[in-house]
Amino acid sequence: DNHLLLTIAQHILSNQTVSNFFASILLKYLITRLEDLGKKDQNVSHVLLRLLKLVFGSVNLFSEANEIVLQPHLGEIIHGSMQLAAVADEPENYFLLLRALFRSIGGGKFETLYKEFLPLLPSLLNGFNKLK
């Protein structure tokens, strides 16, 4: 059951002792499945999006440990989402992912993530311009 899977992931990510290890493993797996986020199967897309949101939430919950987990994947998530949104059956899922990412790191306390994000901003804005 997908609800059970999400609940288990949420509990592990909210455990300070193992959160960063699980977030790292889960994030690597989810990035390999990023293409599935734009497919017609809404059940798979919903689970993937929810798991990514849980990982982003764990960064807010345990910022010192989990910020460094998200930081090396930030560019891959942003660029991958923009590229896949251009060819996906359901591109709005990628924009929901980016919105969740920006909301989770937008609190002003993630300097490492901001330093990683700032150089990506021009290409991100160009990507948005090409979509219109």
Side-chain angles (χ1 to χ4, degrees):
D1 184 39
N2 293 334
H3 182 67
L4 181 60
L5 170 70
L6 295 171
T7 302
I8 291 169
Q10 183 176 10
H11 284 298
I12 296 172
L13 287 168
S14 64
N15 181 330
Q16 187 172 8
T17 308
V18 296
S19 181
N20 62 332
F21 300 113
F22 185 65
S24 177
I25 293 166
L26 185 58
L27 194 55
K28 286 176 187 174
Y29 170 75
L30 293 171
I31 288 173
T32 65
R33 301 282 311 268
L34 201 58
E35 187 175 325
D36 295 339
L37 196 59
K39 293 186 177 173
K40 292 265 186 212
D41 187 350
Q42 288 298 312
N43 194 29
V44 171
S45 299
H46 175 74
V47 170
L48 291 174
L49 189 57
R50 185 71 183 118
L51 286 170
L52 283 159
K53 286 179 179 181
L54 288 173
V55 171
F56 300 157
S58 75
V59 173
N60 277 316
L61 193 58
F62 306 115
S63 57
E64 285 186 25
N66 289 355
E67 182 179 11
I68 58 173
V69 170
L70 179 58
Q71 185 257 335
H73 303 287
L74 192 65
E76 190 174 2
I77 292 170
I78 292 171
H79 285 300
S81 294
M82 291 301 293
Q83 290 172 350
L84 291 168
V87 296
D89 294 331
E90 302 290 334
E92 65 272 2
N93 290 331
Y94 294 106
F95 301 123
L96 291 172
L97 168 63
L98 290 174
R99 182 178 74 173
L101 175 63
F102 298 150
R103 282 184 173 177
S104 69
I105 66 172
K109 62 180 180 178
F110 302 112
E111 189 166 329
T112 304
L113 292 176
Y114 284 138
K115 286 180 182 177
E116 186 75 21
F117 174 70
L118 196 57
L120 303 173
L121 193 56
S123 64
L124 180 65
L125 294 174
N126 284 335
F128 283 134
N129 277 335
K130 288 179 184 177
L131 292 174
K132 63 176 186 168

